[in-house]
Each structure stands twice: as C-alpha cells, then as structure tokens.
Amino acid sequence: MTISYKNTVKHTLKPSLHPYLNGAWTPNFDELTATDLEVIGTIPSDIDGVYIRNTENPVHEAIGHYHPFDGDGMLHAMVFKDGKVEYRNRFVRTKGFDAEQEAGEAIWAGIANNPKKSKRPGWGAQGYLKDASSTDVVVHAGQVLSTFWQCGDGYRLDPFTLEQHGAERWTPLDGISAHPKVDERSGEMLFFNYSTYPPYQHYGVVDSDNKLVHYTPVPTPGPRLPHDMAFTENYSILVDLPMFWNPTLLEQGKYHAEYHPELPTRFAILPRYGTAGDAIWFEASPTYVLHWMNAYEDGDEIILDGYFQDDPDPAPLPGLPPAAGKMMANIDLCSLKTRLHRWRFNLKTGEVKEQHLDERALEFGTFNQRYAGIKSRYLYSVWNEPGMFLFSGMVKHDLETGDSWELPFGEQRYGSEAPFAPRINAKDEDDGYLVSFITDMKADRSECVLIDAKDIEAGPVCRIILPHRISSGTHATWADGQSIRAYQNP
C-alpha cells in the first residue's frame, strides 16, 4: 500500500461510550490518499467509475446530546479503472466546518438539543443547525454534490480527487434537501427543500450544465419533514407526511417531531416543469417514509416503491436512558418496522392502491440508475443490526417474479448502502456489481467489496483492504467514469 497524502484534522472529541461515537461508528480524523491496496481476489477490469459514501463524522465535543445525524460530512471514495483502484477520504469543508476549525470547538447544538445552546445562527430549513453536508451524495454534471437532510447549501467536489469547490452557487435561500435525484438520461437533477415558514416547500430542476432552470413553491399545510422524492419520465413526486414538528413547541423555538396517525400520507404528482397548480394530490395510508426507490408510468398509473414504516413512532429501546432509547429506536429499522411497499396512483380516477412487497425490516435500497424513472426489475435493500443503525446484510428483489436472495455480511461485519455499478458494455439490468464498504470489527479493519449483482449469494468478487478502519455512515452513490470525464474534458 502506498499513501501519497495524509492530513490529520484538528479535533477535540474525547473517547466515549456513546453508541454512535465508538465501535463501528468511531470517527476518523485522518484524510488519506492510498494506492496499491491489498486485494483479496481480483478487481474486475470491466468496471470504470467512482463509489462515494458520505459519513457523519464529528470532530468536536457536542454541545449537549450528540445525535449521529449531527456529525460533519466526510466523503470516502474508491476510483476504479482498468482493474486498479485508488482510495481517498476528505471532510467536506462546509462553512460550519471551517468556522468550528477556526474556533477549535463546536459552535452549533445538534438536532436533539435546545437551539438556544448554539453560539451562532445556523442554516437551512430550521435556521439553527450547522449545515454539515453529511447526509447524501450524488454526482451531477461531472461533480460531486453533498447535501444535508435538514436543507443547506450543497457542496461541490471533484469525484476523482475530492478537491473542494465550495458551496453551490445556485442554491436557493431555503437550501437543498438531501436526496436530489439525477436523471441519467436527461442529465437533469431534481431537488426539493422545506422550511418552517410559508410556503414550507419548494421544488426545482437543474439542467445538465448545472444551471437552475425551474424553481417553484409546492405548498403544504404547515411545516413538514419530507426526506426524499421520486420521479418518472414526465413527473416528479413530492410528499406531505404525517410526521412533523409540534406547531406549539415550534413557536417556542423547540423542534419536536410528532406522528399524527389520524392524517393521511399525501403525494403531490406534478409535471417535471410544473407548478403547484399542476399538481395532483393523492391520499394514502398514514406512515413515514425515509427513502423512495424507483417510480415509473404504466398507462394511467404511476407506480412508486419505497419503505413504509409500520411504526413511525416506536417505543424507546429497553435498557437505555429514555432519551438515548428513543433516539436509537427512531433510527432502528427493526423498531420502525420498515417494509418494502408499493403505491399505485391512477392519474385519471384519483384511486390509490398499495401493498407491502416484503415483510422483512429493510431499507436503504438501491437500483440500476440507468432505469431511474422507467420500469425496473431489480432492487437491492439492506437490513440492520437490531437496535443499532448498522447494516448486517443485503437482499436482492426480483420485482417481476417476487423472488429474493440474501447475503449476510458476517458476524460483526457492517456494510454501507450499496449502489449498483453497471459493467462496461452491460447487456441487461442486473449486469454489474454492488459496491459497499464493510467494517469488520473482529479484524479491526474496513474493506471495499464488489458483489456480482446477478449472484449476490456468492459473496464478494473481491475485497479491497482500506488503509484505516472507517466510521459507519448513511448514503452512497456510483458514477460512471466515462460520463465524468466527458463533463470534465468536453
């Protein structure tokens, strides 16, 4: 292994028994660039692109309670080409990160704290949090875009080198939520944001040249907490979910989310370049949904898949202090009882049909992004370690036949969201690899694994040993190398 770059970021974090500050969630402070990595097996030569995962990685002692979604954004990237690979990781140099580096301490209180404890105003949807840019990551117009779940600036980096390009210049006043969607066929990126003041939600389109070309309000009845969106060839899908801030407490500056099972889940389906007046609203069973999968048009219907929560407001996990038990239950897929689910919306009649597609607790799914917005057959989900936000294995679904296949990661081996990487000259939808980081607590190391998407039960095709054990995190993406180079070298 050759390390060509190393930087240790200034930090004040102390060793902790907090479940999301130790074990597989132990933060990293070293930024590295490494080549000539140890490989178990052989790196395929028919893969060209970059796998990037975002991570909540705090560098300073928290003000009050630490929630895992408060951590600073750190990107980990694997660049594959010609059977070779490079690894690098970098913090996202957000305005908040730079300010706290200069101060040498935390300035902003996290989501589980009184916002009055923050020493400066914040950003985004609530105006009190640090915009950590630590939730999601996509590649659009040849550049990485990292985003924050509570809305923020969005930050651009080079996908091959992770060179920092700063905050996105077209970002609206209300920011960008996590989970903007890239349509690989058109090159467009669709996004939304939300806030605590009217009209509470906006929707926008950025073209293939990274120019904001459409931005419009899609109002909701009050402040809401959407987390994701979906799209088809001609439509975008936004949601009004019955889990949102308590309005009375919000007036007092306190942010406490409550579930309202008496309210329906509402879906706004509007043309890609439509406005609120074009939206068709549908009502469905109450739930909360973190992540939607693919959506597509089928005659008069739109079909949407996602992860329905049977219990969006679970009881605290036993054996822990109430605050910690509640926090961990709210990010434990087993407690939330997340189920793969399908909604069918009839654009002519307004009828909604829905059903569970699987009774296992699954989430954080991926699919071949070349099929985003059109009918797709295969979906890849993960399950978590009960009681912890750690992924213990994956499931491949054939949505046409109903068949499924499982791959456990192994004892004390925890994976990442695993995007699909098409083979060069791929012949069909599942002709490619699933890419994931695995943290092996027994071996005290992390690996990047490639799994043949046609046969996940066979396990990894290769395992690439990373130069350090990395912290667990949330979302990841795959981007085609040839497409990136076409943008960077037109």
Side-chain angles (χ1 to χ4, degrees):
M1 179 180 65
T2 301
I3 295 178
S4 58
Y5 172 87
K6 181 175 181 180
N7 177 57
T8 300
V9 169
K10 181 173 62 176
H11 65 91
T12 61
L13 203 62
K14 301 172 185 175
S16 172
L17 296 178
H18 191 298
Y20 291 102
L21 291 173
N22 68 17
W25 279 87
T26 302
N28 299 106
F29 307 114
D30 290 334
E31 299 175 312
L32 306 175
T33 297
T35 55
D36 304 318
L37 301 170
E38 178 187 350
V39 179
I40 301 171
T42 302
I43 299 172
S45 60
D46 58 357
I47 182 173
D48 175 9
V50 58
Y51 168 61
I52 306 173
R53 194 197 72 184
N54 208 340
T55 307
E56 293 91 355
N57 198 106
V59 297
H60 292 298
E61 283 289 309
I63 299 174
H65 301 292
Y66 175 71
H67 189 286
F69 294 169
D70 295 338
D72 296 287
M74 174 184 276
L75 299 182
H76 298 263
M78 302 290 288
V79 180
F80 293 88
K81 194 174 189 301
D82 300 328
K84 298 179 181 179
V85 67
E86 297 179 356
Y87 165 81
R88 50 181 51 78
N89 67 305
R90 302 289 188 272
F91 281 100
V92 182
R93 260 58 176 189
T94 66
K95 298 169 187 175
F97 179 90
D98 286 345
E100 290 187 334
Q101 282 290 291
E102 183 178 352
E105 64 177 355
I107 295 172
W108 289 274
I111 188 65
N113 297 284
N114 185 334
K116 293 181 180 178
K117 291 184 177 181
S118 292
K119 300 174 184 178
R120 298 186 199 171
W123 288 269
Q126 321 321 328
Y128 74 98
L129 289 175
K130 176 175 64 177
D131 172 11
S133 204
S134 58
T135 309
D136 194 22
V137 59
V138 298
V139 173
H140 170 251
Q143 296 290 321
V144 168
L145 180 72
S146 65
T147 50
F148 187 52
W149 69 290
Q150 289 276 40
C151 301
D153 277 328
Y155 284 80
R156 289 278 181 177
L157 300 91
D158 184 284
F160 292 144
T161 67
L162 297 186
E163 178 186 356
Q164 312 270 336
H165 295 313
E168 182 53 78
R169 287 176 292 181
W170 53 255
T171 303
L173 179 63
D174 291 330
I176 313 164
S177 175
H179 301 300
K181 301 298 181 182
V182 177
D183 183 342
E184 291 193 2
R185 290 186 305 282
S186 70
E188 294 170 317
M189 183 173 68
L190 319 175
F191 73 94
F192 69 101
N193 59 36
Y194 56 96
S195 62
T196 56
Y197 42 83
Y200 305 113
Q201 179 176 246
H202 289 84
Y203 157 74
V205 181
V206 181
D207 71 10
S208 58
D209 293 323
N210 197 34
K211 296 178 182 176
L212 180 63
V213 292
H214 183 63
Y215 187 65
T216 185
V218 183
T220 56
R224 294 296 189 261
L225 282 171
H227 187 71
D228 197 0
M229 64 171 291
F231 71 93
T232 70
E233 282 190 279
N234 297 295
Y235 296 94
S236 294
I237 305 171
L238 306 177
V239 290
D240 173 7
L241 299 159
M243 171 84 80
F244 48 84
W245 306 126
N246 177 303
T248 302
L249 294 177
L250 192 60
E251 291 178 356
Q252 303 170 22
K254 300 175 182 178
Y255 294 81
H256 176 70
E258 292 183 345
Y259 180 51
H260 298 268
E262 73 280 5
L263 299 177
T265 299
R266 300 172 68 233
F267 296 82
I269 299 180
L270 69 160
R272 181 167 298 191
Y273 282 84
T275 64
D278 302 311
I280 303 173
W281 285 91
F282 295 84
E283 293 188 355
S285 300
T287 188
Y288 191 79
V289 177
L290 279 170
H291 303 119
W292 308 105
M293 291 294 100
N294 205 9
Y296 61 92
E297 299 157 32
D298 183 14
D300 294 334
E301 290 189 319
I302 287 180
I303 289 81
L304 170 66
D305 294 334
Y307 298 96
F308 187 105
Q309 295 181 6
D310 281 352
D311 188 3
D313 190 23
L317 290 177
L320 295 169
K326 188 64 174 176
M327 175 195 77
M328 293 178 68
N330 282 336
I331 54 176
D332 170 35
L333 306 184
C334 296
S335 296
L336 295 168
K337 300 178 182 176
T338 52
R339 310 291 189 236
L340 182 59
H341 194 81
R342 173 164 287 180
W343 291 260
R344 304 180 72 99
F345 308 100
N346 192 302
L347 296 176
K348 283 195 172 180
T349 67
E351 183 182 16
V352 180
K353 297 179 181 178
E354 52 183 312
Q355 65 179 115
H356 281 355
L357 300 180
D358 196 305
E359 292 299 328
R360 287 170 284 192
L362 303 171
E363 242 282 6
F364 284 80
T366 64
F367 60 95
N368 186 336
Q369 289 298 304
R370 293 178 179 176
Y371 289 77
I374 61 176
K375 187 175 182 180
S376 57
R377 179 172 179 176
Y378 300 107
L379 181 68
Y380 312 92
S381 307
V382 297
W383 70 80
N384 79 211
E385 185 86 354
M388 282 291 289
F389 189 50
L390 292 168
F391 303 151
S392 303
M394 68 169 58
V395 177
K396 174 183 179 179
H397 285 93
D398 184 330
L399 299 175
E400 286 189 6
T401 67
D403 292 331
S404 65
W405 302 266
E406 293 187 358
L407 173 63
F409 294 141
E411 186 180 0
Q412 294 187 49
R413 286 173 59 86
Y414 306 113
S416 304
E417 187 176 57
F420 180 88
R423 282 188 176 92
I424 297 172
N425 300 319
K427 303 301 182 185
D428 45 38
E429 184 184 333
D430 63 344
D431 190 9
Y433 303 93
L434 301 171
V435 194
S436 181
F437 287 126
I438 301 284
T439 291
D440 187 326
M441 294 303 296
K442 280 189 170 182
D444 190 25
R445 71 184 185 191
S446 292
E447 311 165 0
C448 179
V449 299
L450 299 183
I451 298 161
D452 187 337
K454 285 185 174 292
D455 185 12
I456 72 165
E457 292 180 331
V461 172
C462 67
R463 298 161 56 194
I464 304 159
I465 309 305
L466 302 188
H468 53 179
R469 198 183 84 197
I470 66 175
S471 174
S472 192
T474 49
H475 292 290
T477 193
W478 170 265
D480 175 70
Q482 184 176 357
S483 298
I484 296 170
R485 291 189 292 272
Y487 271 105
Q488 295 186 351
N489 305 293

